[in-house]
Amino acid sequence: MQDRYFSLDPAQRSAARELYLSVKNLPLICPHGHVDPRLFADPDYQFGSPVNLLIIPDHYVFRMLYSQGIALDELGIPSLSPSKSPPAKRGDLPGGVESDHREIWRLVCANWRLFRATPTGIWLRDELADVFGISLKLKRENADAIYDAIDEKLQSDAFRPRALYERFNIEALATTDAATDRLEAHQAIRDSGWGGRIIPTFRPDAVVNINGEAWRENIDRLSDVAGSTVSDYGSYIRALEERRAFFKAMGATATDHAALTAYTESMGAGEAEAIFQRALAGEATAKDAARFSGHMLIEMARMSSEDGLVMQLHIGSWRDHNPSIHARYGRDMGADIPIGSEFTKNLKPLLDRFGNQPDMTLVLFNLDETTYSRELAPLAGHYPILRLGPPWWFFDSWLGMTRFLDAVVETTGIYNLAGFNDDTRAYPSIPTRHDVWRRVCADWLAGQLVRGFIDEEDAFEMIRALAYDLAKQTYRLDG
Amino acid sequence: MQDRYFSLDPAQRSAARELYLSVKNLPLICPHGHVDPRLFADPDYQFGSPVNLLIIPDHYVFRMLYSQGIALDELGIPSLSPSKSPPAKRGDLPGGVESDHREIWRLVCANWRLFRATPTGIWLRDELADVFGISLKLKRENADAIYDAIDEKLQSDAFRPRALYERFNIEALATTDAATDRLEAHQAIRDSGWGGRIIPTFRPDAVVNINGEAWRENIDRLSDVAGSTVSDYGSYIRALEERRAFFKAMGATATDHAALTAYTESMGAGEAEAIFQRALAGEATAKDAARFSGHMLIEMARMSSEDGLVMQLHIGSWRDHNPSIHARYGRDMGADIPIGSEFTKNLKPLLDRFGNQPDMTLVLFNLDETTYSRELAPLAGHYPILRLGPPWWFFDSWLGMTRFLDAVVETTGIYNLAGFNDDTRAYPSIPTRHDVWRRVCADWLAGQLVRGFIDEEDAFEMIRALAYDLAKQTYRLDG
Amino acid sequence: MQDRYFSLDPAQRSAARELYLSVKNLPLICPHGHVDPRLFADPDYQFGSPVNLLIIPDHYVFRMLYSQGIALDELGIPSLSPSKSPPAKRGDLPGGVESDHREIWRLVCANWRLFRATPTGIWLRDELADVFGISLKLKRENADAIYDAIDEKLQSDAFRPRALYERFNIEALATTDAATDRLEAHQAIRDSGWGGRIIPTFRPDAVVNINGEAWRENIDRLSDVAGSTVSDYGSYIRALEERRAFFKAMGATATDHAALTAYTESMGAGEAEAIFQRALAGEATAKDAARFSGHMLIEMARMSSEDGLVMQLHIGSWRDHNPSIHARYGRDMGADIPIGSEFTKNLKPLLDRFGNQPDMTLVLFNLDETTYSRELAPLAGHYPILRLGPPWWFFDSWLGMTRFLDAVVETTGIYNLAGFNDDTRAYPSIPTRHDVWRRVCADWLAGQLVRGFIDEEDAFEMIRALAYDLAKQTYRLDG
């Protein structure tokens, strides 16, 4: 359905279609996401079963099924090794992980009504149609036929990640990599001579969050990969700088930072050292951790002001909110819940130092929509370093993106936006996600056009910026 | 006007009409409200005058008139007994309550413009037309004619509550009753042999809020009705369990809890006992009260996990915000004002213990719309026990309900919603309130349908779920 | 384009047009704004160049250009005297202010794409068309032609402020004036015999904010203009009362108060005196300042209850958020960033004392849209003194105003609103701003009308109220 999702008014619909068609075939810029680079390192990489591809790695899917009483074990989600996992208790966490993927697929299809009117539902439907050529509706009766059809495609050469990269018309795709990653897959891609542009992104959270699960081990790993012992704050900073230089040499144009809040604080080297030593000794408090995190955001901004890596900040998700699920299955199990966010006060210490740098870029993301019009748009409409990331996570949806445009554009225009991120680990869903964004923008601009807020020249330049140019410029992928 | 309120696009309007017609005549499920059970205990119950029925008990109506300088006395609102009421002061609280109901009605009609574009205005207009057969517009010129027409109807047998129950096609109606209520009216209904399903709901706030106005008296009453002296925390808990069992035996399927915030805290029995003893001694602090309330929410969840009563939580209303009005007229006088709400942190202790129970249900309500997309939808899209209550109070309106669907469905789907509550003490407005909800849902789904997000099969199943099934299932009224 | 901005549905568009035409030519009520009264004191006042008129004084314009890396110096923004300004540093704050206004204008036009779909863009386009008769699009190619056309108009007698006042059909225009202002320009206007109604508004922030930049100097100035030495809290209060009486005698009908939050606190005279003395001694703490500000809001309400001046409260803007910009250019440089707001708790002490006064008016404004439905509409739908100001600052936009109506009208109706404020220092933009408000209201009411929420009688009375009557009544300009 060529005009799917567009508004119904004939004039707006027609304008939306024209705007959409003007960008439909532009290459995809994927400056932030979680696709595993090993997909591209091995030219013969094969996705496993449909369930390996579409269910087990996708917490958007299994969280919703779980919310309706379907146990994660029934969905094939692997639990941690028995020694780490607590003994099974309560009816909701039965032992015995389902291993028959066809059965799992049937269960998912039988419950697919849960995804009606959700982005997950729309992405999978559109992905099956547009990438796999399957137009059957996801429901119990069609489960086996769809399973077989996907499975058959996945065996074919056309469904190798590199082939899909070409077919998807991707221009650049950034992965997200730990600061301690040796980027061996990225090196293999480079060595292979393949022409795709897969670049790493520097994500130091695991060596910055001093109260993180394995911080101490990660510091040792940092020493290891940096080739110099991290024993104090000074050597720690030097190791991070060294890693950033390595990532940059490997093609990175950006860093990414996650924190619970946007709290920033400039502390002296002495205080930072004291906290760092407490952390090494396993004696850091929760307050130490929050303060150190806020300090390191400024320190990372300082490094970005020097090495030119674009800084991304994702805040506001209470990770692993459900302790039973976390203990049994580990992290990223669909139990990350947003909290309210604040930027005006929290980000001020960082902005006081770097906010006026015209040659630096900080892209902001969060999960509290109230910040859009109240703080983010006014901040980005003033400070040269700021750009607003597209709606994140739950808000990467038709209505979520529409609310975002409604809330920010009047105050900050579109040129302080960072374009689109697909932010996904579900590689084959990438074209669909970009398509939804391009459709939303086309429809939104069409509304502005036919009601007389903007003219045709504006509208066509704006749709191109939103669909392609802004992401490329913001993330310095035009170099 | 058959298509009233629907969107104007011909395709959407037509789809909305079809969806609406498919559920228009389904029975009404009324799982949460404040209708007085005595209406049904007496087969010959007569509502008083139009003012007794429509103005004096309805704080939605008189708060708005008050906001424009009309004194509550002029509207016939009874003040507390002179001994409890402070001496009249200021021009806004003159002495002398109006007792001429026709005069009150004229005053209301002369000011009915205040309700233009409000749900109160729409409900009363639709109720007069659909229940009373009166299509005159509410305005000064029509005041007497409308008064007489209502009055005449109210005298007739067709306007006895039981007759209206049949005419309204109500399938079940839950009242809200203090934990200390002997449920005599409910017993009388049962004894009468009448076939209507009127069931109680267990609301223990008055014995849980240790800083409430008459907590000590309510504890004595609890001892009394439970038939065992409540002298310590243990006997208190046993008395509550006993009352819940009694309510359940009387047909209750749910409990209801109001709190200022969603704060929960698990405390040991020793600490709970210490606070309880301070409360008995009249020495509990405000902090004690907040902590005890948070503890008791978890304790009530524990009881629900055992007895299967669905738990409802209404938070975020600062009750009796206006001390002059409270002193003179008492509680529920239209001066309850919302505050910001938070669930992700506050509800965590409760969810840590009971969030994964697939056989338990906790329905959440609050008055801060920012929680919809930020916290409630993500929480309900993960935790098996959670369902989202429909938009509460001020948001039980066309735009309020639309914003709710816009904000939550993409993240949590519709199957984590609790369907509709009319939550009213205005019995004859019940069909109108359900009609508005059904129309909103039909129009919203029609928009999803004609724009291609869902198909016809989805839309017809979803409208039925929203209009009928979800309320019935959530509140276990299908047993 | 007569129907610009209206919804596209033919029925709604036609209704919007009729409603709009019914109020299009009503006089403009301008009860709150920042136009300099000297414009009207001098009958021959001439605006300077197009850049003097449209760029240099308008922080809406230059903040956005600055956000994209254009230095304020390039835009002709004067920096503070060298002695006060810090040495130039970083590339973003180069020395050397551009003085060629034609060059500045070209730079602005070359970057005008930044204002696509923003209210600033729409206002300037409509103002050029409707006030200046220029329909060329703002872009680099047209820069010189537009500059010349504006410049020519500004030389003509038709563009003297008094002539524009007549042409704009302004009925009353309130300026905003420091408590210490001698109102000499207002006196000159009165003395001139010209018939325009230009009235002052009493804004005491600079003598209330004890931690403000020049509080001590302002207190001396207050002593001076009040003709009695302010040496303690008692004489301070008396001086303020005297100034209010003077403003009222000069035509003022309102006061205006800005604060970071809506915090209010009733303190005894002794405590107020102690803080005041600490402030005089230069020893007041930040907490003293916040408490004193909260106390003075109540004291100002007390004075309003006595002298009948309408009280306005603007909260929630973190002024001068960017210290580099503030140090170099001073205040009001586009770096005021909103913070979250709270009214239910903060305003309670004031409402406890004055909320029930039917003959008093407090108009509330803030920059956190979440307060609209959660706190402001419920508060205004109960307390007789409250009216809601129109959407402020960033939200004085098509979507901002639509969200406001959507959020508040269902709960508080339209009769608790204060109508429109243009709140501008850009005098020639006044008709455009009112026109946008009238169009938004017409379109919103048309939607309500054609969908059946209100009828024609309602709609025509409501549009008149929103466009004209409510502002006039709220600000007591009908006396």
Side-chain angles (χ1 to χ4, degrees):
Chain A
M1 202 178 57
Q2 177 176 259
D3 289 347
R4 65 183 183 232
Y5 316 145
F6 293 148
S7 291
L8 297 170
D9 172 79
Q12 182 169 350
R13 199 170 185 85
S14 157
R17 184 190 311 124
E18 280 185 60
L19 289 165
Y20 168 69
L21 290 175
S22 77
V23 297
K24 181 184 189 321
N25 295 318
L26 287 177
L28 305 186
I29 303 288
C30 308
H32 174 66
H34 299 273
V35 173
D36 191 325
R38 289 174 298 181
L39 269 63
F40 305 99
D42 173 5
D44 299 318
Y45 186 94
Q46 271 194 272
F47 301 107
S49 78
V51 167
N52 286 133
L53 180 68
L54 299 170
I55 309 302
I56 291 172
D58 193 339
H59 58 71
Y60 288 72
V61 170
F62 60 72
R63 70 164 182 108
M64 185 79 100
L65 294 158
Y66 183 72
S67 79
Q68 288 277 317
I70 298 170
L72 296 185
D73 287 356
E74 294 179 77
L75 296 166
I77 309 303
S79 52
L80 300 176
S81 65
S83 63
K84 288 196 186 172
S85 170
K89 61 185 168 74
R90 304 198 191 291
D92 53 318
L93 298 172
V97 175
E98 179 61 58
S99 59
D100 181 337
H101 282 195
R102 186 177 292 272
E103 276 305 318
I104 293 171
W105 185 256
R106 286 173 181 160
L107 179 64
V108 170
C109 288
N111 288 283
W112 199 252
R113 72 183 178 290
L114 302 179
F115 296 95
R116 286 169 172 159
T118 70
T120 300
I122 286 154
W123 290 330
L124 188 50
R125 182 186 60 192
D126 290 356
E127 177 185 339
L128 289 183
D130 296 343
V131 178
F132 290 87
I134 298 167
S135 57
L136 287 171
K137 184 173 176 176
L138 282 157
K139 51 198 305 189
R140 179 64 189 85
E141 304 90 286
N142 298 331
D144 285 353
I146 296 173
Y147 188 92
D148 291 336
I150 298 171
D151 205 35
E152 189 192 335
K153 296 283 189 185
L154 291 181
Q155 315 288 333
S156 70
D157 286 346
F159 280 75
R160 301 291 165 268
R162 291 186 180 184
L164 291 176
Y165 184 96
E166 309 299 340
R167 181 174 155 205
F168 293 168
N169 195 20
I170 295 173
E171 182 173 320
L173 183 148
T175 62
T176 300
D177 311 270
T180 51
D181 195 304
R182 291 182 188 277
L183 305 182
E184 285 158 340
H186 283 90
Q187 188 60 51
I189 296 167
R190 294 178 146 225
D191 293 344
S192 74
W194 175 59
R197 187 175 182 190
I198 310 293
I199 58 176
T201 301
F202 180 76
R203 173 119 167 200
D205 299 345
V207 292
V208 166
N209 299 330
I210 59 178
N211 59 348
E213 275 179 81
W215 180 75
R216 197 63 192 73
E217 291 164 47
N218 286 315
I219 291 296
D220 291 342
R221 200 167 294 137
L222 179 62
S223 296
D224 209 37
V225 297
S228 63
T229 303
V230 172
S231 58
D232 56 14
Y233 179 70
S235 52
Y236 170 70
I237 292 295
R238 283 191 300 278
L240 290 171
E241 287 171 335
E242 187 281 331
R243 295 310 293 161
R244 291 173 67 111
F246 172 67
F247 271 67
K248 193 172 171 185
M250 292 293 289
T253 68
T255 70
D256 185 29
H257 309 267
L260 185 59
T261 73
Y263 176 76
T264 59
E265 172 184 351
S266 241
M267 58 174 74
E271 200 163 5
E273 177 71 78
I275 292 179
F276 193 80
Q277 290 300 338
R278 282 202 290 281
L280 284 178
E283 292 166 359
T285 64
K287 193 179 173 190
D288 282 342
R291 293 187 61 209
F292 192 74
S293 170
H295 168 75
M296 287 304 297
L297 286 177
I298 297 183
E299 194 59 17
M300 290 292 164
R302 194 264 306 160
M303 294 183 200
S304 275
S305 79
E306 293 171 6
D307 63 19
L309 291 178
V310 171
M311 183 172 179
Q312 298 174 93
L313 179 58
H314 287 84
I315 68 151
S317 176
W318 182 309
R319 307 278 176 170
D320 307 315
H321 190 265
N322 187 330
S324 305
I325 294 292
H326 184 236
R328 189 169 169 87
Y329 299 96
R331 304 188 55 184
D332 296 331
M333 286 294 133
D336 298 344
I337 309 292
I339 59 168
S341 294
E342 202 284 332
F343 289 93
T344 304
K345 296 175 190 174
N346 279 330
L347 215 54
K348 192 169 188 304
L350 188 155
L351 294 171
D352 283 354
R353 282 191 57 193
F354 299 105
N356 295 295
Q357 300 279 60
D359 52 352
M360 184 177 157
T361 302
L362 169 57
V363 187
L364 300 177
F365 300 84
N366 87 117
L367 297 166
D368 178 355
E369 296 181 286
T370 71
T371 63
Y372 290 169
S373 70
R374 186 182 60 220
E375 300 173 40
L376 292 179
L379 284 165
H382 169 70
Y383 284 102
I385 68 159
L386 293 180
R387 291 273 172 120
L388 303 187
W392 183 32
W393 204 320
F394 301 114
F395 305 117
D396 181 6
S397 64
W398 189 274
L399 294 171
M401 295 188 291
T402 302
R403 285 197 297 270
F404 174 77
L405 295 171
D406 282 348
V408 306
V409 174
E410 290 188 326
T411 295
T412 201
I414 69 155
Y415 297 97
N416 288 309
L417 307 186
F420 185 62
N421 285 183
D422 52 69
D423 194 7
T424 187
R425 61 196 77 233
Y427 178 57
S429 74
I430 285 179
T432 298
R433 291 170 191 245
H434 285 258
D435 188 68
V436 172
W437 168 258
R438 289 172 176 187
R439 286 178 182 275
V440 167
C441 291
D443 193 49
W444 193 86
L445 292 169
Q448 292 273 313
L449 171 61
V450 295
R451 295 176 70 175
F453 295 100
I454 57 175
D455 65 17
E456 285 215 357
E457 179 187 45
D458 294 341
F460 281 95
E461 288 187 26
M462 291 166 89
I463 187 66
R464 189 187 153 93
L466 288 165
Y468 179 77
D469 295 331
L470 286 167
K472 195 166 174 177
Q473 292 160 3
T474 301
Y475 286 92
R476 308 190 179 184
L477 293 166
D478 42 8
Chain B
M1 204 177 57
Q2 177 176 259
D3 289 347
R4 65 182 182 233
Y5 316 145
F6 293 148
S7 290
L8 297 170
D9 172 79
Q12 182 169 350
R13 198 170 185 84
S14 156
R17 185 191 312 123
E18 279 186 60
L19 290 166
Y20 168 69
L21 290 176
S22 77
V23 296
K24 181 185 189 321
N25 295 318
L26 288 177
L28 306 186
I29 304 288
C30 308
H32 173 67
H34 299 273
V35 173
D36 190 326
R38 289 175 297 182
L39 269 62
F40 305 100
D42 173 4
D44 300 318
Y45 186 94
Q46 272 192 272
F47 300 106
S49 77
V51 167
N52 286 133
L53 179 68
L54 299 170
I55 309 302
I56 291 171
D58 194 338
H59 58 72
Y60 288 72
V61 170
F62 60 72
R63 69 164 183 108
M64 185 79 100
L65 294 158
Y66 183 72
S67 79
Q68 288 276 318
I70 297 171
L72 297 185
D73 288 356
E74 294 179 76
L75 296 165
I77 310 304
S79 51
L80 299 176
S81 64
S83 62
K84 289 198 183 169
S85 169
K89 59 183 169 75
R90 305 197 189 292
D92 54 318
L93 297 172
V97 175
E98 179 61 58
S99 59
D100 181 337
H101 283 194
R102 186 177 292 271
E103 276 305 318
I104 293 170
W105 185 256
R106 286 172 181 160
L107 179 65
V108 170
C109 289
N111 288 283
W112 200 253
R113 74 183 178 290
L114 302 179
F115 297 95
R116 285 169 172 160
T118 71
T120 300
I122 285 152
W123 290 330
L124 188 50
R125 182 186 61 192
D126 290 356
E127 177 186 337
L128 288 183
D130 296 342
V131 177
F132 289 87
I134 298 167
S135 57
L136 287 172
K137 183 173 178 179
L138 281 156
K139 54 200 304 190
R140 179 63 189 87
E141 304 89 285
N142 297 330
D144 284 353
I146 296 173
Y147 187 92
D148 291 336
I150 297 171
D151 205 35
E152 188 193 335
K153 295 283 189 185
L154 291 182
Q155 314 288 333
S156 71
D157 285 346
F159 279 76
R160 302 290 165 268
R162 291 186 180 185
L164 291 175
Y165 184 97
E166 309 299 340
R167 180 173 156 206
F168 292 169
N169 196 19
I170 295 173
E171 183 173 320
L173 183 149
T175 62
T176 299
D177 311 87
T180 51
D181 196 304
R182 291 182 187 278
L183 304 181
E184 286 158 340
H186 283 91
Q187 189 58 53
I189 297 166
R190 295 179 145 225
D191 293 344
S192 75
W194 175 60
R197 186 174 182 191
I198 309 293
I199 58 175
T201 301
F202 181 76
R203 174 119 167 202
D205 299 345
V207 292
V208 165
N209 299 330
I210 59 178
N211 60 347
E213 276 180 80
W215 179 76
R216 198 63 193 74
E217 291 163 48
N218 285 315
I219 290 296
D220 291 342
R221 201 168 292 138
L222 180 62
S223 295
D224 209 38
V225 296
S228 62
T229 304
V230 171
S231 58
D232 56 15
Y233 179 69
S235 53
Y236 169 71
I237 292 294
R238 283 192 300 277
L240 290 171
E241 287 170 337
E242 188 279 332
R243 295 309 293 160
R244 290 174 66 110
F246 172 67
F247 271 67
K248 193 173 170 184
M250 292 294 289
T253 68
T255 70
D256 185 29
H257 309 268
L260 185 59
T261 73
Y263 176 77
T264 60
E265 173 185 349
S266 241
M267 58 174 73
E271 200 163 6
E273 177 71 77
I275 293 179
F276 192 80
Q277 290 300 337
R278 282 202 289 281
L280 283 179
E283 293 165 357
T285 64
K287 193 179 172 190
D288 282 341
R291 293 187 60 209
F292 192 75
S293 169
H295 168 75
M296 287 304 297
L297 286 177
I298 297 183
E299 195 58 18
M300 289 292 163
R302 194 265 305 161
M303 294 184 200
S304 275
S305 80
E306 293 171 7
D307 63 20
L309 292 178
V310 171
M311 184 172 178
Q312 298 174 92
L313 178 58
H314 287 84
I315 68 152
S317 175
W318 182 310
R319 306 280 175 168
D320 308 313
H321 189 265
N322 187 332
S324 306
I325 294 292
H326 183 236
R328 187 168 169 88
Y329 298 97
R331 304 190 56 186
D332 296 331
M333 287 293 132
D336 298 343
I337 309 292
I339 59 168
S341 295
E342 203 284 333
F343 290 93
T344 303
K345 297 175 190 174
N346 279 330
L347 216 54
K348 192 169 188 303
L350 188 155
L351 294 171
D352 283 354
R353 283 191 56 193
F354 299 104
N356 295 296
Q357 301 279 59
D359 52 353
M360 185 177 157
T361 302
L362 170 57
V363 187
L364 300 177
F365 300 83
N366 86 118
L367 296 166
D368 178 354
E369 296 181 286
T370 72
T371 64
Y372 290 169
S373 70
R374 186 181 60 219
E375 300 172 39
L376 292 179
L379 284 164
H382 169 69
Y383 284 101
I385 68 160
L386 293 180
R387 291 274 172 117
L388 304 186
W392 183 32
W393 206 320
F394 301 113
F395 305 118
D396 181 7
S397 64
W398 189 273
L399 294 170
M401 295 189 292
T402 302
R403 284 196 297 270
F404 174 77
L405 295 171
D406 282 349
V408 305
V409 174
E410 289 188 326
T411 295
T412 201
I414 70 156
Y415 297 96
N416 287 309
L417 308 185
F420 186 62
N421 286 182
D422 52 69
D423 194 8
T424 187
R425 61 197 79 231
Y427 179 57
S429 74
I430 285 179
T432 298
R433 290 170 191 245
H434 285 259
D435 188 69
V436 172
W437 169 257
R438 289 171 176 187
R439 286 177 182 275
V440 167
C441 292
D443 194 48
W444 193 87
L445 292 169
Q448 292 273 313
L449 172 61
V450 295
R451 295 176 70 174
F453 295 101
I454 57 175
D455 66 16
E456 285 215 358
E457 179 187 46
D458 293 341
F460 280 95
E461 288 187 24
M462 291 166 89
I463 187 66
R464 190 187 153 92
L466 288 165
Y468 178 78
D469 295 332
L470 285 167
K472 195 166 173 176
Q473 293 159 2
T474 301
Y475 287 92
R476 307 191 180 182
L477 293 166
D478 42 7
Chain C
M1 203 178 56
Q2 177 175 258
D3 289 347
R4 66 183 182 231
Y5 315 146
F6 293 149
S7 290
L8 297 170
D9 172 79
Q12 182 170 350
R13 199 170 185 85
S14 157
R17 185 190 312 123
E18 279 184 60
L19 289 166
Y20 168 69
L21 290 176
S22 77
V23 297
K24 181 184 190 320
N25 295 318
L26 287 177
L28 306 186
I29 303 288
C30 308
H32 173 67
H34 298 274
V35 173
D36 191 325
R38 289 174 298 182
L39 269 63
F40 306 99
D42 172 5
D44 299 318
Y45 186 95
Q46 271 193 272
F47 300 106
S49 78
V51 167
N52 285 133
L53 180 68
L54 298 170
I55 309 302
I56 291 172
D58 194 339
H59 58 71
Y60 288 72
V61 171
F62 61 71
R63 69 165 183 108
M64 185 79 100
L65 294 158
Y66 182 73
S67 79
Q68 288 276 318
I70 297 170
L72 297 186
D73 288 357
E74 295 179 76
L75 296 165
I77 310 303
S79 52
L80 299 177
S81 65
S83 62
K84 289 196 185 171
S85 170
K89 60 182 168 75
R90 306 197 189 291
D92 54 317
L93 298 172
V97 176
E98 178 61 58
S99 59
D100 181 336
H101 283 195
R102 186 177 293 272
E103 276 305 318
I104 293 170
W105 184 256
R106 287 172 180 159
L107 179 65
V108 170
C109 288
N111 287 283
W112 199 253
R113 74 184 178 288
L114 302 180
F115 297 95
R116 285 169 172 159
T118 70
T120 300
I122 286 153
W123 290 330
L124 188 50
R125 181 186 61 193
D126 291 356
E127 177 185 338
L128 289 183
D130 296 343
V131 177
F132 290 87
I134 299 167
S135 57
L136 287 172
K137 184 173 177 178
L138 282 156
K139 53 199 303 189
R140 178 64 189 83
E141 304 89 287
N142 298 329
D144 284 354
I146 296 173
Y147 188 91
D148 291 336
I150 298 172
D151 205 35
E152 188 192 337
K153 295 283 188 184
L154 291 181
Q155 315 288 333
S156 70
D157 286 346
F159 280 77
R160 302 289 166 268
R162 291 187 180 184
L164 291 175
Y165 184 96
E166 309 299 339
R167 181 173 156 205
F168 292 169
N169 196 19
I170 296 174
E171 183 173 320
L173 184 149
T175 63
T176 300
D177 311 87
T180 51
D181 195 303
R182 291 181 188 278
L183 304 181
E184 285 157 339
H186 283 91
Q187 189 59 52
I189 297 166
R190 296 179 144 223
D191 294 343
S192 75
W194 175 59
R197 185 176 183 190
I198 310 293
I199 58 175
T201 301
F202 180 77
R203 174 119 167 201
D205 299 344
V207 292
V208 166
N209 299 330
I210 60 178
N211 59 347
E213 276 179 81
W215 180 76
R216 197 64 192 75
E217 292 163 47
N218 286 315
I219 290 296
D220 291 342
R221 201 168 294 136
L222 179 62
S223 295
D224 209 37
V225 297
S228 62
T229 304
V230 172
S231 58
D232 56 15
Y233 179 69
S235 54
Y236 169 71
I237 292 294
R238 282 192 300 279
L240 290 171
E241 287 171 336
E242 188 279 333
R243 295 309 294 160
R244 291 173 66 111
F246 172 66
F247 271 67
K248 194 173 169 183
M250 292 292 290
T253 68
T255 69
D256 186 27
H257 309 267
L260 185 59
T261 73
Y263 176 76
T264 60
E265 173 185 350
S266 241
M267 58 174 74
E271 200 163 4
E273 177 72 76
I275 292 179
F276 193 80
Q277 290 300 337
R278 282 202 289 281
L280 283 179
E283 293 165 359
T285 64
K287 194 180 171 189
D288 282 342
R291 293 187 61 208
F292 192 75
S293 170
H295 168 76
M296 286 304 296
L297 287 177
I298 297 183
E299 194 60 16
M300 290 292 163
R302 194 264 305 160
M303 294 183 200
S304 275
S305 80
E306 293 171 7
D307 64 20
L309 292 177
V310 171
M311 183 172 179
Q312 298 174 93
L313 179 58
H314 287 84
I315 68 152
S317 175
W318 182 309
R319 307 280 175 168
D320 308 314
H321 189 266
N322 187 332
S324 305
I325 294 293
H326 183 237
R328 188 168 170 88
Y329 299 96
R331 304 189 55 185
D332 296 331
M333 286 294 133
D336 298 343
I337 309 293
I339 60 168
S341 295
E342 203 284 334
F343 290 93
T344 304
K345 296 175 190 175
N346 279 330
L347 216 53
K348 192 169 187 305
L350 187 155
L351 294 171
D352 284 354
R353 282 190 58 193
F354 298 104
N356 295 295
Q357 301 279 61
D359 51 353
M360 184 178 157
T361 302
L362 169 58
V363 187
L364 299 177
F365 300 83
N366 86 118
L367 296 167
D368 178 354
E369 296 180 286
T370 72
T371 63
Y372 290 169
S373 71
R374 187 181 59 219
E375 300 172 39
L376 291 179
L379 284 164
H382 169 69
Y383 284 102
I385 68 160
L386 293 180
R387 291 273 171 118
L388 304 186
W392 184 33
W393 204 320
F394 302 114
F395 305 117
D396 181 6
S397 64
W398 189 274
L399 294 170
M401 295 188 292
T402 301
R403 285 197 298 269
F404 174 77
L405 295 171
D406 282 349
V408 306
V409 174
E410 289 188 327
T411 294
T412 201
I414 69 156
Y415 296 97
N416 288 309
L417 308 185
F420 185 63
N421 285 183
D422 52 69
D423 194 7
T424 188
R425 61 196 77 233
Y427 179 56
S429 74
I430 285 179
T432 297
R433 291 171 190 245
H434 286 259
D435 188 68
V436 172
W437 169 257
R438 289 172 176 186
R439 286 177 182 275
V440 167
C441 292
D443 193 48
W444 193 87
L445 291 169
Q448 292 272 313
L449 172 61
V450 294
R451 296 177 69 174
F453 295 101
I454 57 174
D455 65 16
E456 285 215 357
E457 179 188 44
D458 294 341
F460 280 94
E461 288 187 26
M462 291 166 88
I463 188 67
R464 190 188 153 93
L466 288 165
Y468 179 77
D469 295 332
L470 285 167
K472 195 166 173 178
Q473 292 159 4
T474 300
Y475 287 91
R476 307 189 180 184
L477 293 166
D478 42 7

